[in-house]
């Protein structure tokens, strides 16, 4: 197997549990640093940016190919959707391309309605059959999300209630939605902030998951984030998430003039209707951002 020379970023904390042992209320100065850092993260103005995504093989996916569960999980954790809609999306979500190979894909929204193209598999030019399967996968994923939007609209929730596919240069809304409420400490120029679960919240993401943020306080700039469930939970009828986590690294990109996600690791284990087990583990690298189709920057 031809592996690109890539390594996952080192964890920014030695012991995650110890980091959360003595949180304290966030101070006004720390909150101001957070707000300044988040304002520098790419927003919807960067939705026209093209980028390359490299995906590592899944070493622990078992004998069967995993389903593409990222979008389904995002919809399950969305707020105020029809109760049965997220469950239907899980069953509609297609099987992904061979997750035991290094896949390099290019996303270019100027090529809508077919923005995705397969650039390489295991460092080699894709075969025609691999290209065909890749197109089928992307079409099926788009169809599943479109169906979810139609159902949400019919129920009076509007299409914006269904999350779109993740774009690494449009990540600001993810962090703005979960503002930190506690400080976890510091290490040199690094500041650790957190948003613990909010049991009374109507939002499943806030109710069941915990966010941890790492800021470079000298910039200030957001460098890492970690979202994880601390225990198994059911965001809605028919789904039990036995584990869930998402870890990402952010860096400033000159092409976007913004802070973008450059690495993302996503894991989950779930059970549908108490019978069907699902598992997913994916590792992505994002690079080669091209925002020539973007509207002019308004930054000074």
């Amino acid at each position: 197997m031809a592996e690109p020379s890539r390594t996952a970023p080192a964890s920014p904390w030695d012991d995650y549990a110890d980091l959360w042992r003595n949180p304290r209320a966030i101070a006004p100065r720390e909150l101001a640093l957070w707000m300044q850092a988040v304002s520098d993260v790419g927003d919807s103005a960067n939705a026209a940016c093209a980028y390359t995504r490299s995906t590592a093989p899944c070493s622990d996916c078992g004998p069967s190919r995993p389903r593409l569960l990222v979008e389904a999980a995002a919809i399950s954790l969305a707020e105020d959707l029809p109760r049965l809609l997220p469950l239907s999306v899980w069953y509609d979500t297609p099987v992904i391309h061979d997750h035991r190979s290094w896949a390099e894909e290019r996303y270019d929204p100027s090529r809508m309605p077919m923005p995705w193209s397969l650039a390489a598999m295991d460092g080699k030019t894709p075969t025609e059959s691999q290209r065909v399967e890749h197109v089928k996968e992307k079409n099926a994923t788009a169809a599943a999300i479109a169906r979810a939007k139609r159902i949400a609209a019919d129920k009076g929730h509007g299409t914006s209630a269904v999350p779109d596919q993740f774009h690494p240069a449009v990540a600001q809304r993810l962090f703005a939605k979960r503002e930190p409420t506690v400080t976890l400490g510091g290490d040199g120029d690094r500041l650790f902030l957190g948003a613990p679960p909010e049991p009374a919240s109507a939002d499943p993401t806030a109710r069941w998951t915990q966010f941890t943020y790492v800021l470079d306080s000298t910039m200030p700039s957001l460098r890492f984030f970690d979202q994880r469930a601390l225990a198994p939970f059911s965001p809605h009828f028919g789904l039990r998430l036995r584990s869930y986590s998402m870890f990402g690294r952010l860096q400033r990109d000159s092409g976007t003039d913004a802070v973008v996600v450059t690495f993302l690791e996503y894991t989950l284990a779930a059970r549908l209707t108490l019978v069907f087990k699902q598992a997913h583990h994916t590792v992505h690298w994002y690079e080669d951002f091209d925002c020539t189709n973007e509207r002019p920057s308004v930054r000074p």
Side-chain angles (χ1 to χ4, degrees), residues 216-228:
D216 179 341
S217 58
T218 63
M219 302 292 289
S221 183
L222 184 60
R223 291 304 187 204
F224 294 94
F225 73 94
D226 179 281
Q227 178 191 13
R228 65 178 67 183

